[in-house]
Amino acid sequence: MKFLRLDLLTLLISLFIFNSCKRQDGIGLGIDPTNQVNGALVVDTNIIIRTEVDSTAVTSGLAKTPLGNFTDPAFGTTVSNVALGLSLPNDAAYTVPAGTLTIDSAVLVLRYANGFYGDSVATRYTANVYQLAEKAGVQTYYNTKRWLVNTGTVWGTKTFTARTHDSVTIANIRTGKADTIQKVGPQVRIPFSKAFIYNNLFNANGSQLASTLLFQNAVKGLYITLDKGQANNVGGILQLALDSSRLDVFYKTVNGATIDTATVSLPFVSHSAAITYTYTTTIQALLADKVNSQNTVYLQGLAGLRAKVSFPDLNKFNPDSIVLNRAELVITPQPNSGIPYAPLPKLTMYQLDIAHQRTYIQDASPSDGRNQISAFGGRYDKTKKEYHFLVTAYVQDLIRKKTVDYGTFIAPIDTTEVTTVSGSSVGTTSVSPSVQTAARTIAVGSDKSSPYKIKLNIIYTRIRK
């Protein structure tokens, strides 16, 4: 009987401890149940939102580099050209092969990366390759960089249809062995000038080939542009994987009685994009308005356009009488605005600190103990046709005046751009301006007449005093 009483006592204590560990769903202070009133939902639609030009973005050394010429009737025309720093084979001093040398061909191999945006069916593209008049060094370049280019001579050109997911079959040249045929990943192959290769590599003076630095100082680099086949073509933006792209040279050597075919590859020591934007009169008018909230906002990849957002009605909440359980921002594209060009697959949301530098929203910040990084959101929900951000901690700090809104923004981001927190397997969405996505979204802003207007859903609990 004693054991039975002990077991019952143990069970009661365990239930008491378990019950005491319960907490409010979301973020907030603990509540005495005797003071609690049922939770309430408030839908805040008095939100100020405006279209703005995004900040300058780094375009050098990225996994994806945009090359394109795209005219979107709703946005205007975006052009992205590519600058390449050319290096010696194996990125080291080079010795020209012995014997009589003949160049069979040279090909600029540009591998596709995921992320093509635009017209891949009707538009025929023409890529032209020029020589730079200034060195493309190993340094940081931004989308606003304007390069000096020798446009008098086209060293390579190719007209093609964008087939960014189709493999191609090429000849595999093997030194000392029989050549074969192989299938390689999606790429565009631009025939390149044999004279350029002969003058700058095989017939160059020894000092130019003695080091990669001297070679780069002499050659400067290459510059690629993309034109549309017809003036009325829409065009598009290609994303290129330039870390694994190259300039291949196929040649034949005759050394005595020995004849052999071989290939040598010149890698790109640097790569970056120079981007220009020509906006429609509608967008120009929105950009000029720095005061009024806008019924329609435009979000554009390639570090084009972002939205600035603020929540003036949060001042109406008494921070001493409520506990915030959940706050979620909902953004909806304009109906049918995703046809034929799909909306951005992902958005990021960030704020500015006191120095006006980009920093994480509290809910996405690795350094904030209240973060909900895995649930923060930003991805486009194809079923609901909405974007959602969980911003509970951010809104709570605004209500309690624990943070100052120096500027809060919603902007495009590529789905691959995440920062992995040390010691965690969960990555938080990047807040840097991105050129690795070319998509765009036309979103409903503060249009009171629209059921799709931007809204902040707040669930809170009022506390009795």
Side-chain angles (χ1 to χ4, degrees):
M1 199 65 182
K2 291 182 180 179
F3 292 106
L4 178 59
R5 290 177 180 173
L6 182 60
D7 290 342
L8 287 173
L9 181 60
T10 303
L11 178 59
L12 289 171
I13 293 173
S14 299
L15 287 172
F16 175 78
I17 294 173
F18 177 76
N19 189 60
S20 68
C21 291
K22 289 183 178 179
R23 54 171 293 184
Q24 289 287 328
D25 180 30
I27 298 176
L29 299 175
I31 300 175
D32 183 346
T34 60
N35 295 332
Q36 181 177 337
V37 177
N38 291 334
L41 168 65
V42 171
V43 180
D44 181 9
T45 58
N46 185 28
I47 297 172
I48 297 174
I49 185 166
R50 291 192 296 272
T51 303
E52 289 195 357
V53 173
D54 208 344
S55 306
T56 55
V58 173
T59 66
S60 51
L62 300 177
K64 299 195 290 188
T65 303
L67 170 67
N69 189 328
F70 180 44
T71 300
D72 185 327
F75 282 75
T77 299
T78 304
V79 175
S80 182
N81 300 323
V82 170
L84 299 171
L86 201 60
S87 188
L88 288 169
N90 299 315
D91 202 21
Y94 181 70
T95 301
V96 178
T100 303
L101 189 149
T102 304
I103 302 174
D104 291 329
S105 64
V107 180
L108 191 64
V109 181
L110 304 177
R111 292 186 61 248
Y112 289 126
N114 289 329
F116 173 82
Y117 196 78
D119 177 21
S120 62
V121 178
T123 302
R124 295 277 289 171
Y125 300 90
T126 298
N128 291 315
V129 186
Y130 304 92
Q131 186 174 14
L132 286 171
E134 60 177 305
K135 179 182 174 182
V138 183
Q139 64 183 74
T140 300
Y141 293 109
Y142 294 87
N143 57 326
T144 52
K145 167 68 177 174
R146 300 296 174 253
W147 292 90
L148 299 176
V149 183
N150 293 319
T151 56
T153 303
V154 179
W155 294 106
T157 187
K158 171 89 171 192
T159 299
F160 61 99
T161 302
R163 296 287 183 263
T164 59
H165 291 88
D166 293 349
S167 59
V168 297
T169 301
I170 64 170
N172 181 23
I173 308 301
R174 303 191 299 176
T175 303
K177 299 179 182 179
D179 299 338
T180 62
I181 292 177
Q182 69 176 127
K183 184 175 287 188
V184 295
Q187 56 190 240
V188 57
R189 300 174 65 83
I190 304 174
F192 194 77
S193 168
K194 293 186 286 185
F196 184 98
I197 298 299
Y198 183 77
N199 293 332
N200 289 284
L201 185 65
F202 292 144
N203 197 43
N205 62 64
S207 61
Q208 181 172 313
L209 304 180
S211 74
T212 57
L213 178 60
L214 294 175
F215 179 79
Q216 291 159 21
N217 288 341
V219 175
K220 309 300 184 186
L222 303 177
Y223 193 72
I224 309 174
T225 65
L226 195 68
D227 296 328
K228 296 177 287 187
Q230 301 291 331
N232 61 349
N233 285 158
V234 171
I237 304 292
L238 309 168
Q239 292 286 358
L240 303 176
L242 295 177
D243 283 339
S244 53
S245 299
R246 64 198 180 275
L247 176 57
D248 283 343
V249 180
F250 303 92
Y251 65 94
K252 178 172 62 180
T253 57
V254 179
N255 194 3
T258 303
I259 301 176
D260 196 13
T261 56
T263 181
V264 65
S265 296
L266 284 69
F268 304 137
V269 70
S270 66
H271 50 83
S272 61
I275 307 174
T276 58
Y277 319 85
T278 305
Y279 292 118
T280 61
T281 55
T282 298
I283 291 181
Q284 290 178 37
L286 293 176
L287 294 176
D289 185 355
K290 307 294 184 182
V291 178
N292 298 305
S293 189
Q294 297 166 357
N295 290 340
T296 304
V297 293
Y298 294 79
L299 303 168
Q300 181 191 33
L302 299 188
L305 300 173
R306 62 182 176 178
K308 186 176 184 180
V309 61
S310 60
F311 310 94
D313 275 6
L314 294 183
N315 291 326
K316 297 180 180 179
F317 287 93
N318 183 348
D320 296 325
S321 63
I322 68 165
V323 172
L324 203 63
N325 304 116
R326 182 182 178 89
E328 183 179 46
L329 184 66
V330 182
I331 303 159
T332 306
Q334 286 278 10
N336 301 317
S337 64
I339 302 172
Y341 308 116
L344 285 150
K346 189 176 182 181
L347 299 175
T348 187
M349 185 175 179
Y350 60 90
Q351 59 186 333
L352 302 183
D353 61 18
I354 192 172
H356 281 229
Q357 299 299 307
R358 296 187 183 207
T359 188
Y360 296 110
I361 294 291
Q362 286 86 328
D363 302 82
S365 174
S367 61
D368 195 309
R370 303 165 298 170
N371 76 66
Q372 301 184 72
I373 292 174
S374 60
F376 179 59
R379 286 185 178 270
Y380 179 63
D381 187 322
K382 294 182 180 179
T383 302
K384 296 181 179 179
K385 294 182 171 55
E386 295 172 340
Y387 302 92
H388 290 246
F389 288 99
L390 192 61
V391 290
T392 312
Y394 166 73
V395 170
Q396 178 175 268
D397 282 359
L398 287 176
I399 292 174
R400 294 184 177 276
K401 305 296 191 293
K402 289 186 176 180
T403 189
V404 176
D405 185 8
Y406 296 105
T408 301
F409 297 89
I410 299 163
I413 199 72
D414 189 57
T415 55
T416 63
E417 293 179 287
V418 295
T419 302
T420 302
V421 184
S422 178
S424 172
S425 60
V426 178
T428 188
T429 301
S430 174
V431 297
S432 299
S434 173
V435 300
Q436 297 192 88
T437 180
R440 51 52 150 195
T441 290
I442 304 173
V444 182
S446 54
D447 186 354
K448 302 300 183 184
S449 65
S450 173
Y452 306 106
K453 56 185 168 290
I454 186 172
K455 58 186 177 182
L456 180 64
N457 295 328
I458 299 175
I459 299 176
Y460 68 93
T461 302
R462 189 174 299 279
I463 305 172
R464 291 196 184 101
K465 290 293 185 177

